Amino acid sequence: MNKDRLTILYDTSGKKFRNSRVGKLVKSVITSDTTKRLRDLAIDKAGLKEHEKRFIQHLTGGTVGNQPITELPDKVISGVAMAHSRGGYRDRREFIPSSKYLDMVKAAEKEAEISGDESSYNAIVHGDGAMVPNPKYNPDSKLLSTYGSNDETRLSLGHVTMNPNKDGSFQMTDTYDVDGFGKHTPLRGTKSDLIEGTKEIELFGKKYELPLASRAHDISTWLGIDKDMHYNVNIPKKNIDTWNNAYGKK
């Protein structure tokens, strides 16, 4: 069976199941608020990390009552504040590193090796030789990247929107969904958002990568029980001030 046929089978069988009496019953049971409350109690008792908790919630119907997420662990709140104070607003930068940066570095290294002239290498690595105009440049952008923050923050959130409040705090909004670059092939591919959920095992002397998180998402989608979630979280002024002071900002 080739890949196209497998994808077609995944899509058609999933649609048939979701529309069946059994499929509707399964979805009703798993995504009921009663089940989700029990699920959340089990998650809290197990002591799972924030990003693990949100992933499981996403796979099993979202939040109780489909209400927005308004609270986050202190470490994640701090991570968002840190990213803000560090200026993690990529679209506010008029110039950004070229998408071909690594290729440019390799070419410059080879040039230096052959000619003994390191000027190109120094310009690229230590200067602005690899900087290009930012096509999304917007000095007022509110899109904040948390990928340079602690693991719990970047794995839970990624990019968020930061809206300032009058009291100096910020209202962080975001949608928890699972997407990826390019077209995902169910049952085979790995979604870029779920790369960290890939585990490596060794079998008969060979190493294999198992994209467990991507397969779990494929199953959830097939069952029709995955649900996007929305964040609406206040990032207190005291957390912003803490990191502003740490970076010497007023």
Side-chain angles (χ1 to χ4, degrees), residues 136 147 159 178-185 189-195:
K136 297 182 180 179
Y147 286 108
H159 288 90
V178 174
D179 50 29
F181 303 112
K183 185 177 180 181
H184 174 67
T185 51
T190 302
K191 283 185 172 282
S192 58
D193 273 357
L194 302 177
I195 291 176

Side-chain angles (χ1 to χ4, degrees), residues 35-62:
T35 302
K36 288 192 280 190
R37 287 190 181 96
L38 293 173
R39 172 204 65 192
D40 289 349
L41 287 173
I43 288 174
D44 291 339
K45 189 170 183 179
L48 298 182
K49 296 179 180 179
E50 175 67 12
H51 70 278
E52 296 170 334
K53 172 182 178 178
R54 299 306 177 190
F55 183 56
I56 291 174
Q57 288 179 326
H58 170 74
L59 294 181
T60 53

Side-chain angles (χ1 to χ4, degrees), residues 44-89:
D44 291 339
K45 189 170 183 179
L48 298 182
K49 296 179 180 179
E50 175 67 12
H51 70 278
E52 296 170 334
K53 172 182 178 178
R54 299 306 177 190
F55 183 56
I56 291 174
Q57 288 179 326
H58 170 74
L59 294 181
T60 53
T63 59
V64 175
N66 296 321
Q67 294 297 305
I69 298 166
T70 58
E71 296 182 356
L72 288 171
D74 291 342
K75 188 173 183 179
V76 177
I77 292 284
S78 179
V80 174
M82 181 183 75
H84 167 79
S85 296
R86 289 177 61 179
Y89 297 89

Side-chain angles (χ1 to χ4, degrees), residues 52-250:
E52 296 170 334
K53 172 182 178 178
R54 299 306 177 190
F55 183 56
I56 291 174
Q57 288 179 326
H58 170 74
L59 294 181
T60 53
T63 59
V64 175
N66 296 321
Q67 294 297 305
I69 298 166
T70 58
E71 296 182 356
L72 288 171
D74 291 342
K75 188 173 183 179
V76 177
I77 292 284
S78 179
V80 174
M82 181 183 75
H84 167 79
S85 296
R86 289 177 61 179
Y89 297 89
R90 181 182 174 88
D91 291 348
R92 293 183 184 180
R93 303 170 190 170
E94 191 170 358
F95 295 92
I96 56 176
S98 169
S99 59
K100 298 181 180 179
Y101 176 79
L102 294 178
D103 292 335
M104 295 172 69
V105 171
K106 290 180 180 179
E109 287 176 336
K110 189 172 183 179
E111 177 184 308
E113 182 181 348
I114 294 173
S115 67
D117 182 0
E118 298 184 354
S119 57
S120 294
Y121 176 84
N122 289 331
I124 293 171
V125 176
H126 304 297
D128 57 5
M131 303 299 283
V132 297
N134 185 355
K136 297 182 180 179
Y137 175 61
N138 176 7
D140 300 318
S141 174
K142 297 177 181 178
L143 186 65
L144 174 69
S145 170
T146 68
Y147 286 108
S149 190
N150 60 63
D151 286 347
E152 271 308 286
T153 304
R154 69 177 182 82
L155 291 175
S156 300
L157 299 173
H159 288 90
V160 299
T161 299
M162 296 283 280
N163 290 292
N165 295 318
K166 292 182 179 180
D167 63 359
S169 68
F170 281 78
Q171 206 65 24
M172 185 210 84
T173 57
D174 187 31
T175 298
Y176 185 106
D177 56 9
V178 174
D179 50 29
F181 303 112
K183 185 177 180 181
H184 174 67
T185 51
L187 305 179
R188 296 177 304 280
T190 302
K191 283 185 172 282
S192 58
D193 273 357
L194 302 177
I195 291 176
E196 288 83 1
T198 298
K199 304 299 180 183
E200 186 178 88
I201 65 169
E202 186 169 337
L203 189 64
F204 302 118
K206 292 186 177 181
K207 293 183 178 180
Y208 299 89
E209 289 188 344
L210 296 180
L212 300 179
S214 290
R215 293 296 77 77
H217 188 265
D218 289 339
I219 294 171
S220 177
T221 300
W222 190 88
L223 292 171
I225 58 175
D226 58 317
K227 180 74 173 178
D228 292 350
M229 303 179 294
H230 301 282
Y231 288 95
N232 189 359
V233 182
N234 182 263
I235 308 299
K237 181 178 182 296
K238 64 179 183 180
N239 294 84
I240 300 293
D241 289 343
T242 295
W243 284 105
N244 280 344
N245 292 332
Y247 289 117
K249 296 182 177 181
K250 294 183 179 180

